[in-house]
Amino acid sequence: MELITKDLLINVLFILLPVLLMQMFYLLKYIYRLKKLKESWFLFFPLISMILCMLFPFSLGSGLTWDLRSVPFLLGMLYGGPKYRVCLLSLLLMVRYLIGGTGFYISACTFGTMAILTTFLSSYYLKLNLKHKLVLSGLLVFVLTFITFVASIQIAEVNLTASMWIQYFVINVVGMLIATALWEVIQMNFEVLQKLMKAEKLEVVSNLAASISHEVRNPLTTSRGFMQLSYEGDIPPETKEHILISIQELDRATEIINDYLTFAKPAPEQKENIIIYEEIHHVINLLTPLANMNNVKIGLRIEKNEGHYILGERKKLEQALVNIVKNGIESMHDGGKLEVGIDYCPHILRINIRDQGKGMTRKQIDRLGEPYFTTKEKGTGLGMMVSFSIIQGMGGKITVKSEIEKGTCFSIEFPIANV
């Protein structure tokens, strides 16, 4: 094994060590519920790897150094945001300038080119599955190494043997594939841990709802009945007003209890064929007065297709859709447009509900459906929690996309029962 291979394998360790440390921090964040440990902090690990690789390179003299900085650089460029990319490129060039030598100009040429390329590819890359990500990341590091090869010959007139170039190419590509696979596995593990945390919260609420909801609702119903009798009797107007307020508050408490019961038993008790076209029209008719009060226009993009229906409980589905549409209307304080559409796919029916409200951050989207989480000033979060539970109980899936000050889009997918 030549000296270049031994030195570059040390660089591989510098790449893997921070990635494994990132896995440890993810576990600590989950086990100890460390809310202050932000996910964005984990992007510092590529910075650490890149600096370590540059400080311990393989040198041939003449101010030229060879290392695996391209691997953490590309990882950071592909997974980080615009500000992070600028920071990563600036730090790389600054450290390389301090090291000195003619290699700085080669780095500026090669890594500057790749920074532009990865900026355009990043959004596309993040949507790929693991297999395609490995192919694209391996191709990118190969292209970067090839640009370095050409620039070294043209600018610095480097004269490495074919064997050394092959080793350099192979170790870069293999290192990139291993680092990408580890990064994806760690992210998938963290997503599983987040789902487990949410499932724990939902299980506690579900057990609580199932155990006490009936017992609480029965005395509420009895109390309301006696208050209604008193209200209809011959009593002073002031007393009537107080009793009416009490009845309204009892009704509100009963609605909350019903929400808990629905959450505890989201699966439909009596399944029936539901034509989504008709249900959406019914929900829109119910909420049109609220939309008019909030200066919101509702646009429908739905096609009647009675051959496509889903199985579920009509009332529960209506409750879920009302909650989501109502939230969309109330999110537009200054008015706007709410668009509701249906897409018929071969085996899936998709409902899209898009508003022009204040939008949500990524962190808020991740917490949607959790008990008592809401973006409203006077909300309880139970409505959205119940909606998520009902849709999932019917075999559906909710995907939420949102941008601050641009609006939110809820995509609800159901398996089609008959075509």
Side-chain angles (χ1 to χ4, degrees), residues 284-303:
I284 296 303
N285 289 335
L286 286 175
L287 295 176
T288 296
L290 177 64
N292 293 335
M293 288 173 58
N294 288 270
N295 196 27
V296 173
K297 294 182 179 179
I298 299 179
L300 295 179
R301 185 183 55 80
I302 56 178
E303 177 184 349

Side-chain angles (χ1 to χ4, degrees), residues 5 8-9 12 68 166-176:
T5 304
L8 292 181
L9 286 179
V12 173
L68 299 185
I166 291 173
Q167 292 177 54
Y168 189 61
F169 270 82
V170 170
I171 293 175
N172 265 286
V173 173
V174 172
M176 187 67 190

Side-chain angles (χ1 to χ4, degrees), residues 139-151:
L139 181 62
L140 285 173
V141 78
F142 181 86
V143 171
L144 178 54
T145 309
F146 182 77
I147 295 174
T148 303
F149 168 75
V150 174

Side-chain angles (χ1 to χ4, degrees), residues 254-325:
T254 303
E255 287 178 5
I256 294 175
I257 295 299
N258 289 336
D259 282 343
Y260 273 115
L261 282 172
T262 304
F263 173 73
K265 296 181 179 179
E269 297 177 358
Q270 296 180 348
K271 291 186 178 181
E272 56 184 314
N273 297 337
I274 302 174
I275 300 175
I276 293 294
Y277 171 86
E278 296 177 354
E279 281 306 302
I280 289 182
H281 264 290
H282 180 60
V283 169
I284 296 303
N285 289 335
L286 286 175
L287 295 176
T288 296
L290 177 64
N292 293 335
M293 288 173 58
N294 288 270
N295 196 27
V296 173
K297 294 182 179 179
I298 299 179
L300 295 179
R301 185 183 55 80
I302 56 178
E303 177 184 349
K304 187 173 183 180
N305 193 330
E306 296 182 356
H308 291 66
Y309 60 84
I310 65 173
L311 289 177
E313 193 169 340
R314 191 181 304 275
K315 289 184 178 179
K316 287 186 176 180
L317 176 61
E318 179 184 318
Q319 181 183 1
L321 293 176
V322 164
N323 285 336
I324 294 174
V325 174

